[in-house]
Each structure stands twice: as C-alpha cells, then as structure tokens.
Amino acid sequence: MKISLAWLREYVDVESPLPEFLDRLTMIGLVVEEWKEINGDIILDVETYANRPDTLGHLGMAREVAAMLRSSLKEQTWPLTELPAKTSAFVDVQILDEDLCPRYCGIVVTGVKTGPSPDWLRAKIEAMGLRPINNVVDVTNYVLFATGQPIHAFDLAKIAGPRLAIRRAKKGEAIRTLEGKTVALSTDMLVIADEKRPVAIAGVIGGEESAVTDATQDVFIESATFDPVSVRKTRKALEIQTDACYRFERGADIAFAPQAAIMAASLLTQFGGKAAKEPVDIYPKPRKLKEIVLRGRRISDLLGVDIDDEFVEMTLGDLGFGLTANQHSIWRVQVPSFRVDIEREADLIEEIARFYGYDKIPVVVPPLEVLEAVPSDREKIQKLSQALFHHGFDEVINQSFADPEKEAVFRSGKAPVEIRNPISTKASLLRTTLLGGLLENTAWNRNRGTEGVHIFEIGNIYFRNEDATAEKLHLGLSTTGPLGTPHWKGRPGEANFFHLKGAVEACLESLRYAPFSFKEDGHPFFEEDYSLAVLYKGEKIGRMGQVHSRLLDLYSLGGPVYAAELDLDLLFGKQPRPFEYVPPPKFPSVVRDLSFLVDRDVPFQEIKQALDKMVVPYLEEFSIIDHYAGGRIPRDKKSLSLRFTFRNPKATLLAKDVDKAEQKIIKNLKSAFKIQLREGGESP
Amino acid sequence: MLSPNIRKFKTTIDVYRTKLEEQSAQIQDLRALEELHHQFLSRKRGTITLLFEQLKEFDPEEKPAAGQLLNALKNEVQERFSALETKLKTPAKPKGEIDISLPGEKLYWGAPHPVRLFQQEIENIFVSMGFSIEGGPEIETDYYNFEALNFPPHHPARDDWDTLYITDKLLLRTHTSPVQIRVMEKKKPPIKIIIPGKVFRRETPDPTHLPMFFQIEGLVVDKGITFAHLKGTLEYFLKRLFGERIKIRFRPSFFPFTEPSAEVDIECLACGAKNPDCRICGGTGWKEILGSGMVDPQVFKNVNIDPETYSGWAFGMGIDRTAMFAFGISDMRYFFENDLRFIRQFTLK
C-alpha cells in the first residue's frame, strides 16, 4: 500500500525523523519496503497483510501511527451544499440479497462541472501511482485511498431508474465493464441493476454504459458493503483485479459506508455539485460490535511477560477499542467495526504485544528436554549417502516436475499425476522416476565440459494409484565417463556396469540389507542384456542397468550411461540384518585357488548360489578373482578362478582336511556345472 | 719382539678382521646386519666371545698384550656395526628417476548437495536441543494445507501462497506446515519437532523464486509455552547457525496459523548494515530470515487440543533461501541445475 507522508499528516502529526519513524513502524508490524521522494512528498510503500484491510487507506494507517506515537487523530469535516430533495427521490435502492450486500448507501449529487481535477487532487492521485481522469473519478479514488472504503460513481442520467436493485445476475446477462471488456455473468454473481440491465458488478467493477464521462452532470455515489467471499469468487471467475475488489474481499468497514458517501459528495460540491438532502442507507440487519473477554493472566501466559493493566487499557483505547473492566485484570473489549481481523482473545494479545514491543519480551531458552528419538530413516539416508560419496557419486536434487513428452518415452509403468495449473506445459506432470532428472543433469554437465558424471538423488516419485495419488522415496544413481581426472600415475578408469553394481551393493551392505540378489529383468529403461532387478528377501526393491539408447537420444547423450533406481520406502520398511560382532580368528587360514572352465552361458550367480548352499567344512568365504573368455579358451567356455579361504576356528587347520574340503567342492561343481579343472588350477 | 703365542693370536685376529671387512661389505639390509652381529658378538657362540675364552690360556705376562689386540678388534666390530646400522636406517636418496615434488594420488570423494548439507546443519542444531524430526506427504489435501491451518476457503491470505493444484481438493503443499496438523492429530502434547521438506509454489523461475524449494518447520506444544520461549529457542538457533554475534530482530507480522505472529530478521551479512544500496537487504541492514508465532487457538481447536490448557509456537524457514544468504549465492536456480562445478565445491564446507 502506497502511503503519502503529506496525506498521512492530514490525519496525524508526524514529527520524528524519517529513519526513526520507519524503524518504529517496522516494530509495530508495518514494514516500509521502499520509499521515495516525489515533489517534496515522501511516498512509502508499506507491506500490508491479508487480514488488515483497515490499513489499506491513509485513515487506517493514521490510526496505527497515532497509537504508536500516543497522539490522536485530527478531526475532518465534510460540509455539503444541499438540495431540498432526498436521494430517495432520484433512486429507489432495493437490496434483493442481504447476504451478499449487507449495507448499501448512496447519495445523488447534481450539477457537477465535470472536468480536470485541481492540482491538490491530481497530486494525491498521482502519488498513489494512478493517472488522473476527471474530477468525479478522481474523487472516488481519493476516497478509496483516504479511507479504504471503495466507492463508485454512476452517471445518473444513464441509469434507467428509478429502481436500482442489488441482486444476483440473471441467466444470460452480460455487462461491458469500465475496462471495455464484455463479460458474461453467472447467477452467483452480485450486480447493481437498473430497470433494464446490470450497471455494475458489485464490489468488482462498474459498467461502461453508466460510467461518468466528461459530459456527466448528475452522479449517484455508491458506498456499500459486499460479502468478501462473493466478491472474491466473482473477480476470480472474471479474472478482474481492481483496487475496490482488493479491499472488499478483505472486508470493508461496514459502519463507515455512509461517511464515505458524504465525503465524496462534499468534495463534489467543490466542483459546483449540490448533494441531495439525505443519502439512502439500506442496512437491513445492523451489526453489533463484537465483544471479547480479555484476561490479564492470558496475556502473561502467552507472552511470557507481565504487562501492566494500565498499558493494556491505554493501548487498546488508543487503537479504538472500547474497554469495560469486568473484574481486576479482566475486561470486556468492544472491537471497532474497522478491525475485521480481531475475533478472539489471542488477537487482542497480539495488539498488546505489538505496541509493547517484541524486543521487550524476554528471551528464555526452554529446558533441553528430549521427547522422542529422531526416526531411523534419517540415519539410513545418511549412511547410504556416505557409501555413495565414498564411491565418488555427487548428490543432486531435481525439481519434481516432468515433461509429458519425455515421460511417455520413459515408460515407467506408473500413471503420472497431472498438475491442473502447471507453470509450463513442459512441467505439467510429477515425475514417476528419478532417471529423467539424472539424465538431464548428465547432459547439462557434459555440455559444460564435465566428462565424468557420477550422481545420485534421493527424493520422491509420484503416481496415480486408482483414484488416489501416491508418493515414494526413491534413490536414483547414474554414472558415465571417466572415474576421476587424468593423473601422472595413470589414466582413470571409465564408469561401467560393475562400477554401478558395486555402488548399489555398497548401499545395501552399508545398511545391512544383506544378503540381496540380482535377477535379469528386461525393463524398458535399460538395454535388453544389461538390465537387472535388485531383490531383498525375495522382493524387488529396485532395478539397474545400462540406460536404453532411446532414452539417451531424448537428452542427446552419447553412451554408455549406467543407472539404478531403488524404492527406499519399500527397503526401509524391511528389517535389516542385526549387527553382530565376531572376534578376530585365533588360528591361521588356508587359501586355495581353483581355476576351471565352465559353459559360457552359466551365470556366475548360479555357481555362487550353489556354493552358498553347499555344506563345506571349514570353508570361511570364497570370491571370484579371475574371469576370462576368448583367446585359447574354447568358444563355448569361459575360465573362472575362485579363491577359497578355509579356517578351523578352534585349531590350526591340517592340509588333509583342506584337501578333503576342496575335493568336495570340485566334485559338487563338476556334477552341477560340468566344470573342467585347468592345468595348475588345482592346488597341490 | 712379540712372543710366538702373541704372533699367532694376532694372525687369528687379523683373519677375523678380514672376514669382518669382507662380510660387512656385503651387508644390504638390517636383517643381514643382525645376523653378522650375532656371528661376532653372540654371548654364547659369537667369534669375539670365543676369542675372549682363548685369553684364559695365555701366560699372565702375555695376557695384557693379547687382551689389547682382542679389545681393538671388538671395538672395530662395534664401530663398524654401529656405522652400518646408521647407514642402513637412513633411506636411500632418490636417484633422479623419482621426482617427489609430483602431486600425490587422491581418492575422489563425492559431494553432498548444498541444500541437503545446510538442511543437516539446521537439523543438527535442533536435534541437539531435543527436537525430533517428522515428515509428511508432498501431495496434500486442501484441508491440511489451508483449512486446518486457519485459512478459510476463499480467504485472500491464500493469495500469498500461490498453489499448484492436482484437483479441487488435492494440491502440492505450499509449505511444510500441514505436517504440524498431521502430527498434532496423531500425538498429544508435549510435542517438539522439526519438519524439513520439499514445498511447491506456482512461481515462474527467476533468481529468487522457484516452483519447488525446501522449507523447515518447527513446532513446540506443551503447557506453559510462551512467546519468550519462541524468542529464546530461535535466537539460540540463529546464533548457532550464523555466529554468536549476529544481531536478531523480532517484529510483528501476520500468518493465519499463528497469533501473535513474528517475522525474524537478522543483520545483513552481505553489507553488515553499512551499504545503503545493498542488493541483499535493500539498504535496511536487515534480512528477513523466518516466520514464526504462537500457535493460533483455532489451529489447536482443529486438532482437538485445548488452547486453554496448552500453548505452543511454530516457525518456518526456507532452507535454500537461507543457504543462498549464508553462502552468498546470488541465483537460486544454481541449486537445481545440478552443475557439478557448483555442487563439488561443497565438499569443502
């Protein structure tokens, strides 16, 4: 809200220097965001709040300032030159919907010499950032910015009277507005209508046909109160924003309506106008002032400081509240009609706190009591992140939106959630996978000269689940390009399928979600032969693979890129293996390497599972230390070398026991996989 | 003239001296030295020990001369071994093929996202004060996002929270505050939580606005909670985050779900309140950092907590917005472009 300091001074004396004045305003909650000097006046841009329509005019601001400075408002008088006739002789106002229009006032002013406004009025209109139009229109704007009460001037000659009805629009009615736009009205919209047609949309905007022009002589000034919700719905439906509806939808001061009409009429008499003897004022159900009980005890309970009764009474009194002391430190407080925001005791306590000063409220650090532990998911995410940092993955965070065209190419298998009013058509869905963002980031970085892009994101994906929506916390990983920068000791390796797989394994191991397994999957995200499902306790918790060229093309990315996506909500819902301590072994181990040929199409995982199941005495662990095909190896075979570690936890292991165990392994592998031992592959 | 016995003994000693010279010349490492040491000086079977045994057989008048010869050898042995040991323990100097001024090998360690990093810094401060952490859905109902927080339908206050809608009743949460309601519906006071998370607004991206960003919310509900506690806790938090000497200001504001409401400003770190043209604080010297207030009695009523018995306070703060201010980042979009040249800097934080 723009406030002219000169205009404000018409209501209240402000003598303190500007910086001090602005600081004090800030501390009662009126923040001046900007100020500038224009023609010797200072224009403040004050931040206002949705619940304080009373501050949307100079009078309301002056009330706050007067209370702040402990001074009082200056009286203003609005003399009229009167006609013998009453307003009701010109117009017959009828409210047909009392809910949407609880009060309607108006006054007729005849013989106005319409023309350019005098300098003092022009200056005020310009100070508010508006262009002066003519003295009648400028007077209506003046009243609005002076008092916060929107008023409207009709050209009396253009109203097909005498009946002026405040009613809902009829089906099929339309109006051409002051903005020159014809809008269709619906039956829930309130209009001001003459005998023939709507002449204004109540509280929103006037009609062009009944508008004041330079030829206008007789005007009818409207000053009314309209239902805030109705005004808001109407202006939203019609996409019209005016200074009037901005105030009506926040709530106008119902008691002030007649005064605003008189004020406008008085100003018009300066331009030769003569006001009707009496305004019309239709107020079918006069409202009583709200009353609230205020307890001194509650003030200190809420603020943590004792405030004198005297201060409470003075502050509320200065702000226009009426106080009756009920008992000691308990009051019945009457709320002035312009304070539509004050409804409860807490609202009054805020008023007292504002003027007492938030800075004077003590600073009390409460006892550091722990009520409940931090949930374990946070720790899991931290551990997971540490494992990934360790593997050289950087963390990214992407916007949750997705482009429907790209989403369609992904074929995530999840029905996306659509945003009804998106920022752009390219961000009209919520993502169903983290992969899109990761590929986008990869392309962005590649285009800026970063070749190695190894990234992860932890965030939600969203989808439709029948009629409901669902969101799940996912982990996305992607890796491509060199694993580090060139170094004099050697060139870095390139990201590959097993680099990614190692990172996935590290994630699961770091959280003790083991044993886990992988299964060939064939998901549309990945190339056919490079697609694995990740399983824990037999349930699929994610997938990984080499990203399909169809998706790389979508981001103009050269391959290969490897990616994985895990459902963390699903994973965290499962029980990890408990942590167990094992003492370091006392007796030495014996290591035996076994090299053999096996059919090329036997996956290592099958051999591993067979060995896992096998009961082999003293076998502590085994690992694959070499894998080779081609060269001198027959085409349908591959060569594997496994390293077995044997240990007797209770005694030093004897060679013959190891030999026995090794023979058992060989025998079982031979029968299960027809392995052929390689020369020198068998330990002596 | 030396006696024949002494002459013979001298010859023996000279043989061992030659042996010592030959063998010590071949010593390459400490282990070999130790073996040679053992050969000569072992208390039981060492060469010198055995030679001392022979001394006993000399006549008393010959003994001193023989002893002199043997002690000379013993000293030579000891000196030589000691010199050898020193030499072997001193590392070989690089012979030109190794330039030790070359840079070392480093493991590459991934970087956390700056928003996550800052979020954890904030969380850690509150966790150290005994707060727990809660979360809630990002797709919310109108009820939790607005109505239960005392935004009546069609209230103009909703305009300050520009909303992305899924349906009439479903939306992307515009703040983390709906989780306050979800928690208070489930749990009875005392409650002491923070709620970090993603929030959404219908904003066109520019350097200071994005349609998605991060917020952290705090809520304390108990008997006897006052505005003074709000001030105490938030001041402590801000001093931990920005340093003990940071100036903090609480001023009146409006939020539908708190009454009284307070905006919290801290002194501008960019200009130290000294630059009237500062782009960060607009020359006011103050930077708005978070919104807070005492929980509105209507909010308590909506979750069946009696506002006559309990009171509470809440705050909300933009994580990315505050990180921008703390790190001096001028454009919010950097956070979600995910340029690794930006992100990797935060390994140093």
Side-chain angles (χ1 to χ4, degrees):
Chain A
M1 168 75 199
K2 284 197 171 68
I3 292 293
S4 143
L5 207 53
W7 199 341
L8 193 69
R9 284 186 169 124
E10 291 176 11
Y11 291 99
V12 61
D13 287 322
V14 178
E15 274 141 22
S16 46
L18 190 64
E20 188 197 316
F21 178 62
L22 299 186
D23 273 351
R24 291 190 68 180
L25 278 181
T26 301
M27 294 313 286
I28 61 161
L30 295 170
V31 178
V32 175
E33 291 180 319
E34 224 177 353
W35 61 270
K36 49 188 173 223
E37 220 179 315
I38 298 176
N39 302 329
D41 188 8
I42 286 171
I43 310 298
L44 311 174
D45 193 352
V46 187
E47 188 189 346
T48 56
Y49 304 112
N51 66 334
R52 292 293 306 273
D54 61 302
T55 60
L56 297 173
H58 285 75
L59 172 61
M61 282 289 182
R63 286 191 191 111
E64 290 274 309
V65 172
M68 177 180 95
L69 301 175
R70 298 276 181 227
S71 80
S72 47
L73 288 183
K74 298 180 198 171
E75 287 283 328
Q76 290 190 340
T77 50
W78 300 101
L80 292 176
T81 313
E82 284 182 358
L83 293 169
K86 294 179 179 178
T87 299
S88 54
F90 299 91
V91 274
D92 172 19
V93 176
Q94 292 179 16
I95 297 178
L96 302 183
D97 193 319
E98 291 173 12
D99 293 332
L100 301 191
C101 178
R103 188 171 197 176
Y104 194 97
C105 306
I107 188 164
V108 164
V109 183
T110 61
V112 180
K113 287 186 195 70
T114 310
S117 293
D119 287 349
W120 71 265
L121 182 52
R122 291 181 68 93
K124 284 205 158 56
I125 297 304
E126 281 167 356
M128 295 299 99
L130 297 182
R131 200 163 41 85
I133 296 177
N134 61 42
N135 49 12
V136 179
V137 175
D138 294 349
V139 160
T140 61
N141 282 325
Y142 172 86
V143 172
L144 179 142
F145 289 110
T147 69
Q149 169 66 31
I151 60 169
H152 182 68
F154 294 97
D155 185 335
L156 191 61
K158 290 176 191 155
I159 292 177
R163 202 179 80 120
L164 200 60
I166 318 330
R167 60 161 168 87
R168 285 169 188 254
K170 290 174 187 157
K171 220 172 165 187
E173 276 185 330
I175 185 170
R176 192 170 163 81
T177 70
L178 279 171
E179 289 172 337
K181 208 167 67 172
T182 302
V183 294
L185 301 168
S186 62
T187 54
D188 55 354
M189 294 174 180
L190 191 72
V191 296
I192 319 299
D194 65 8
E195 300 278 8
K196 290 184 186 155
R197 68 221 188 285
V199 290
I201 306 168
V204 179
I205 198 162
E208 195 183 53
E209 289 175 50
S210 60
V212 170
T213 65
D214 289 348
T216 301
Q217 291 183 337
D218 304 336
V219 297
F220 173 64
I221 303 285
E222 164 201 289
S223 177
T225 304
F226 301 110
D227 174 58
V229 172
S230 159
V231 169
R232 181 174 167 84
K233 283 180 166 172
T234 301
R235 73 103 177 138
K236 280 203 144 187
L238 299 177
E239 294 177 346
I240 295 171
Q241 182 64 271
T242 60
D243 286 321
C245 65
Y246 190 82
R247 284 159 180 78
F248 279 126
E249 68 179 271
R250 281 161 176 74
D253 176 5
I254 199 160
F256 193 74
Q259 274 167 268
I262 301 268
M263 192 174 157
S266 172
L267 287 164
L268 290 181
T269 58
Q270 294 186 17
F271 314 123
K274 285 194 166 60
K277 199 169 78 184
E278 213 170 77
V280 283
D281 183 1
I282 318 286
Y283 193 9
K285 289 180 195 146
R287 289 185 189 166
K288 278 195 197 148
L289 293 183
K290 281 174 279 187
E291 277 200 340
I292 301 167
V293 173
L294 174 63
R295 297 161 292 175
R297 177 179 58 79
R298 285 297 288 174
I299 302 174
S300 48
D301 280 356
L302 212 56
L303 301 181
V305 62
D306 289 326
I307 296 180
D308 291 349
D309 285 4
E310 203 183 321
F311 183 87
V312 172
E313 288 168 4
M314 185 170 65
T315 302
L316 292 179
D318 285 352
L319 285 168
F321 292 84
L323 271 86
T324 326
N326 255 11
Q327 305 164 32
H328 180 62
S329 291
I330 297 180
W331 301 269
R332 291 193 77 78
V333 180
Q334 258 194 349
V335 182
S337 58
F338 52 84
R339 289 303 299 272
V340 296
D341 60 310
I342 305 286
E343 286 177 334
R344 294 100 23 108
E345 192 180 32
D347 302 327
L348 293 173
I349 295 173
E350 181 176 66
E351 294 307 293
I352 293 156
R354 279 202 302 138
F355 287 89
Y356 180 76
Y358 281 14
D359 53 334
K360 290 203 206 85
I361 294 174
V363 173
V364 176
V365 182
L368 303 184
E369 187 189 3
V370 182
L371 299 176
E372 58 184 319
V374 172
S376 63
D377 283 7
R378 178 180 187 256
E379 200 186 317
K380 286 178 181 167
I381 287 172
Q382 283 174 354
K383 273 190 109 174
L384 203 81
S385 305
Q386 287 305 320
L388 289 166
F389 294 147
H390 186 78
H391 275 72
F393 283 79
D394 295 314
E395 187 179 23
V396 297
I397 298 177
N398 282 292
Q399 298 276 324
S400 294
F401 311 108
D403 176 353
E405 279 180 27
K406 288 197 168 83
E407 190 68 32
V409 182
F410 268 90
R411 306 210 299 267
S412 70
K414 293 190 166 76
V417 176
E418 279 177 59
I419 300 169
R420 207 173 59 186
N421 57 339
I423 306 286
S424 90
T425 52
K426 290 202 173 302
S428 63
L429 299 182
L430 291 178
R431 62 186 182 187
T432 60
T433 168
L434 297 182
L435 192 52
L438 295 174
L439 292 178
E440 183 103 46
N441 302 151
T442 303
W444 172 283
N445 281 288
R446 280 269 192 84
N447 294 339
R448 283 159 185 78
T450 307
E451 283 305 312
V453 185
H454 321 288
I455 48 179
F456 76 96
E457 176 169 9
I458 295 170
N460 279 354
I461 59 117
Y462 316 79
F463 54 93
R464 276 197 179 283
N465 203 348
E466 312 214 329
D467 285 339
T469 57
E471 52 195 277
K472 296 263 179 244
L473 187 68
H474 272 205
L475 163 68
L477 285 172
S478 90
T479 180
T480 186
L483 298 162
T485 46
H487 190 268
W488 63 272
K489 289 275 277 181
R491 299 196 66 79
E494 287 278 319
N496 59 59
F497 188 85
F498 296 98
H499 171 62
L500 176 75
K501 197 174 178 189
V504 171
E505 289 168 341
C507 285
L508 295 169
E509 277 163 10
S510 71
L511 297 174
R512 286 179 271 104
Y513 283 114
F516 47 82
S517 63
F518 295 91
K519 202 171 86 185
E520 276 180 51
D521 194 29
H523 191 272
F525 285 178
F526 304 117
E527 295 290 348
E528 206 184 327
D529 293 336
Y530 292 93
S531 171
L532 288 177
V534 188
L535 297 103
Y536 177 63
K537 293 198 168 162
E539 195 172 354
K540 189 148 125 182
I541 46 129
R543 58 178 63 94
M544 59 159 291
Q546 180 178 341
V547 177
H548 199 278
S549 59
R550 173 187 95 249
L551 300 182
L552 298 185
D553 291 346
L554 208 51
Y555 296 91
S556 310
L557 267 172
V561 176
Y562 304 92
E565 188 160 4
L566 304 186
D567 183 338
L568 294 185
D569 273 341
L570 188 61
L571 186 65
F572 292 169
K574 295 184 181 297
Q575 195 65 32
R577 190 160 45 84
F579 173 74
E580 251 176 288
Y581 158 78
V582 181
K586 284 203 178 87
F587 297 96
S589 64
V590 175
V591 169
R592 294 278 167 91
D593 289 348
L594 202 64
S595 291
F596 55 85
L597 295 181
V598 66
D599 284 350
R600 214 165 163 165
D601 58 2
V602 175
F604 170 72
Q605 185 160 271
E606 279 184 25
I607 298 172
K608 183 182 180 303
Q609 280 165 353
L611 284 166
D612 281 338
K613 271 187 219 149
M614 220 179 275
V615 182
V616 182
Y618 308 122
L619 178 61
E620 190 175 68
E621 60 177 8
F622 66 92
S623 59
I624 176 159
I625 58 170
D626 193 38
H627 179 275
Y628 182 70
R632 283 184 296 155
I633 309 287
R635 237 184 236 165
D636 58 340
K637 300 281 182 197
K638 60 184 174 184
S639 161
L640 303 185
S641 296
L642 304 189
R643 170 162 294 177
F644 295 89
T645 306
F646 299 93
R647 191 194 306 274
N648 181 348
K650 292 185 185 129
T652 301
L653 204 50
L654 301 173
K656 66 172 179 25
D657 291 335
V658 180
D659 290 346
K660 246 185 172 163
E662 194 179 18
Q663 286 311 316
K664 182 171 183 185
I665 292 170
I666 293 168
K667 194 180 146 208
N668 280 336
L669 289 181
K670 272 184 175 163
S671 76
F673 301 106
K674 300 188 176 57
I675 64 159
Q676 302 162 22
L677 291 188
R678 299 193 66 197
E679 219 172 300
E682 203 169 345
S683 309
Chain B
M1 280 304 283
L2 299 170
S3 75
N5 277 343
I6 293 291
R7 230 181 300 152
K8 196 177 159 199
F9 190 62
K10 187 174 182 292
T11 314
T12 312
I13 283 186
D14 284 342
V15 169
Y16 284 119
R17 180 173 285 121
T18 315
K19 233 180 191 170
L20 172 72
E21 272 166 22
E22 280 170 8
Q23 291 189 353
S24 61
Q26 282 165 23
I27 298 292
Q28 293 292 330
D29 55 42
L30 286 167
R31 229 183 101 186
L33 177 64
E34 202 181 315
E35 268 173 32
L36 195 62
H37 187 275
H38 190 76
Q39 192 184 321
F40 277 90
L41 294 170
S42 163
R43 285 218 184 148
K44 274 186 179 167
R45 311 201 48 81
T47 308
I48 306 288
T49 317
L50 295 175
L51 287 171
F52 272 104
E53 293 284 314
Q54 288 182 25
L55 272 190
K56 291 177 193 162
E57 286 156 31
F58 282 95
D59 291 340
E61 61 271 25
E62 287 175 340
K63 241 182 197 167
Q68 222 172 3
L69 286 168
L70 184 53
N71 273 320
L73 178 67
K74 189 186 172 187
N75 286 341
E76 270 176 58
V77 169
Q78 279 172 339
E79 271 167 33
R80 190 171 289 258
F81 284 2
S82 150
L84 264 173
E85 195 181 350
T86 312
K87 187 184 157 198
L88 289 172
K89 282 187 175 168
T90 312
K93 277 188 186 161
K95 287 177 189 162
E97 74 266 31
I98 301 171
D99 173 2
I100 56 164
S101 71
L102 284 167
E105 286 177 90
K106 272 174 264 183
L107 281 182
Y108 178 69
W109 191 268
H113 192 279
V115 170
R116 191 80 69 196
L117 194 77
F118 202 62
Q119 177 183 326
Q120 268 169 18
E121 256 180 68
I122 296 166
E123 286 176 2
N124 290 344
I125 297 171
F126 281 100
V127 168
S128 77
M129 287 192 272
F131 281 73
S132 184
I133 302 179
E134 287 279 352
E138 292 168 15
I139 300 175
E140 256 303 357
T141 61
D142 185 88
Y143 177 76
Y144 284 108
N145 195 76
F146 287 126
E147 256 192 271
L149 288 162
N150 198 28
F151 291 78
H154 310 294
H155 195 275
R158 289 181 174 221
D159 293 352
D160 297 337
W161 281 258
D162 241 336
T163 311
L164 287 163
Y165 282 94
I166 310 290
T167 64
D168 282 345
K169 289 283 154 206
L170 274 186
L171 46 82
L172 292 174
R173 66 175 179 194
T174 58
H175 43 189
T176 39
S177 310
V179 187
Q180 286 189 21
I181 303 295
R182 289 184 176 272
V183 170
M184 286 193 285
E185 277 180 349
K186 265 192 333 224
K187 294 178 183 167
K188 290 298 135 201
I191 291 168
K192 199 171 161 189
I193 53 165
I194 49 168
I195 308 147
K198 257 183 198 178
V199 300
F200 302 84
R201 302 269 169 95
R202 197 173 185 282
E203 306 254 26
T204 310
D206 73 26
T208 53
H209 297 89
L210 281 178
M212 186 204 92
F213 53 98
F214 285 80
Q215 238 184 22
I216 191 155
E217 185 95 4
L219 174 71
V220 174
V221 183
D222 203 351
K223 287 177 184 157
I225 299 288
T226 73
F227 195 95
H229 294 130
L230 175 158
K231 279 185 76 178
T233 312
L234 290 179
E235 274 204 24
Y236 174 81
F237 160 64
L238 291 170
K239 287 184 171 176
R240 283 275 305 271
L241 196 64
F242 289 104
E244 199 51 44
R245 282 189 295 187
I246 193 89
K247 281 197 199 117
I248 300 163
R249 176 172 89 174
F250 291 78
R251 60 178 164 84
S253 188
F254 165 68
F255 305 105
F257 40 105
T258 51
E259 191 78 24
S261 301
E263 200 86 54
V264 184
D265 300 334
I266 63 171
E267 70 179 313
C268 181
L269 299 176
C271 73
K274 287 188 184 83
N275 179 5
D277 299 320
C278 177
R279 289 172 65 185
I280 306 295
C281 68
T284 62
W286 293 100
K287 174 79 183 162
E288 184 177 310
I289 210 86
L290 56 84
S292 63
M294 301 303 291
V295 179
D296 193 282
Q298 187 59 47
V299 172
F300 277 143
K301 283 182 190 157
N302 293 344
V303 292
N304 288 318
I305 290 177
D306 179 10
E308 288 288 314
T309 312
Y310 291 101
S311 56
W313 62 268
F315 83 93
M317 181 176 98
I319 297 174
D320 7 32
R321 208 169 275 278
T322 308
M324 280 173 79
F325 182 59
F327 300 142
I329 295 166
S330 59
D331 193 327
M332 200 175 184
R333 289 172 293 191
Y334 283 143
F335 286 126
F336 306 109
E337 277 169 356
N338 295 303
D339 192 317
L340 297 182
R341 295 168 302 179
F342 171 74
I343 290 176
R344 282 183 185 166
Q345 295 179 37
F346 291 90
T347 40
L348 300 176
K349 175 67 180 79

